[in-house]
Amino acid sequence: MKKYVIYTRVSTDEQGKSGLGLAAQERDIELFLTSFSKMPYEVIGRFQDVLSGRSDDRPQLTRALKLARSTGAELLVAKLDRLSRKVSFIAALMDDKAVRLRVASMPFADKFQLHIYAALAEQERTFISERTKAALKVAKANGKHLGGLRDKTMKRNAAVQAKANSEAEKVMKVIGPLRQSGATLASIAATLNETGIPTSRGGTWTPTQVSRVLERAA
């Protein structure tokens, strides 16, 4: 029987972004297991860290790797950058003969392809960082006051986040137990609509909105 150890990672500033939140990772992993994995399979462990991908000191990843090495199970992640944003870290892990890595969003990729992808992703992030710095330098040279605008934007975003977190906390009292009992996102949305619980904007619930609440609460 195929065995998997599942590892997910979220950081505070990533939880609300599409494709990076916990619910999105779980969705991709479930899609891989049901559509691309050999049958039958068994998930023998689930581990999650809540911190930046730039840090290599991740206690839950350490536990996941230890279990994978001792059992021969494959380490399954949703996306390669959930494992690490550093190509050196990923390369070192791929050189470990006791670790077998599987990426849900690239179900047929081998070690060589994953290594190339990690290198290209790191190169792209470096370019984006330099491009942002250059744009800020030009804006400053043209007399734009970046600090004040940034402060106002941050305060506004903080207020929006606080309101969203408060509303998510309330509705999680309903969503949480339903999700833990195995209910799908669609069935949870239907239950909320049937009971007359509105969304934060007074509308009807969809599976996507339920997913966002779960990500925010993670």
Side-chain angles (χ1 to χ4, degrees):
M1 178 183 291
K2 176 70 73 174
K3 295 181 179 180
Y4 294 103
V5 173
I6 293 174
Y7 175 74
T8 55
R9 179 185 62 79
V10 289
S11 59
T12 304
D13 62 341
E14 290 178 338
Q15 289 186 26
K17 295 181 181 179
S18 174
L20 294 175
L22 179 59
Q25 291 177 64
E26 291 180 340
R27 176 201 62 208
D28 290 351
I29 287 171
E30 184 64 24
L31 178 61
F32 170 84
L33 291 174
T34 56
S35 301
F36 298 98
S37 174
K38 292 181 180 179
M39 298 290 184
Y41 68 83
E42 179 185 6
V43 176
I44 63 172
R46 291 177 180 268
F47 302 88
Q48 179 190 148
D49 279 310
V50 182
L51 41 75
S52 172
R54 297 181 180 87
S55 172
D56 293 340
D57 183 19
R58 283 174 275 164
Q60 294 305 308
L61 177 58
T62 299
R63 291 180 61 195
L65 288 170
K66 182 178 180 180
L67 180 60
R69 290 186 180 105
S70 65
T71 61
E74 290 190 356
L75 180 68
L76 177 60
V77 296
K79 298 176 183 292
L80 197 56
D81 66 0
R82 298 302 85 194
L83 188 60
S84 178
R85 293 184 181 278
K86 296 180 180 179
V87 66
S88 58
F89 182 89
I90 293 173
L93 194 58
M94 289 180 180
D95 285 339
D96 189 335
K97 299 185 184 302
V99 175
R100 292 188 295 167
L101 176 64
R102 183 69 63 180
V103 180
S105 60
M106 295 183 285
F108 303 117
D110 57 26
K111 284 189 174 183
F112 176 75
Q113 292 170 323
L114 291 176
H115 195 160
I116 294 298
Y117 178 84
L120 291 174
E122 184 175 83
Q123 192 175 96
E124 181 183 29
R125 286 192 297 272
T126 300
F127 178 82
I128 291 173
S129 176
E130 293 302 317
R131 183 178 62 190
T132 301
K133 291 177 183 177
L136 292 173
K137 185 176 180 180
V138 170
K140 186 176 181 179
N142 290 335
K144 294 184 178 179
H145 299 287
L146 302 177
L149 179 60
R150 182 183 179 186
D151 290 343
K152 291 180 181 178
T153 300
M154 291 179 66
K155 289 179 180 178
R156 182 172 65 251
N157 289 344
V160 171
Q161 289 293 325
K163 181 175 183 294
N165 288 337
S166 176
E167 293 175 346
E169 184 178 352
K170 293 178 181 178
V171 77
M172 269 300 293
K173 294 178 180 179
V174 177
I175 293 178
L178 290 173
R179 188 61 169 169
Q180 290 176 4
S181 67
T184 65
L185 298 178
S187 65
I188 293 174
T191 299
L192 292 171
N193 291 327
E194 289 171 1
T195 54
I197 300 175
T199 64
S200 59
R201 297 185 179 181
T204 56
W205 288 91
T206 65
T208 299
Q209 289 170 317
V210 174
S211 176
R212 288 172 181 168
V213 171
L214 288 168
E215 289 178 7
R216 188 172 296 279

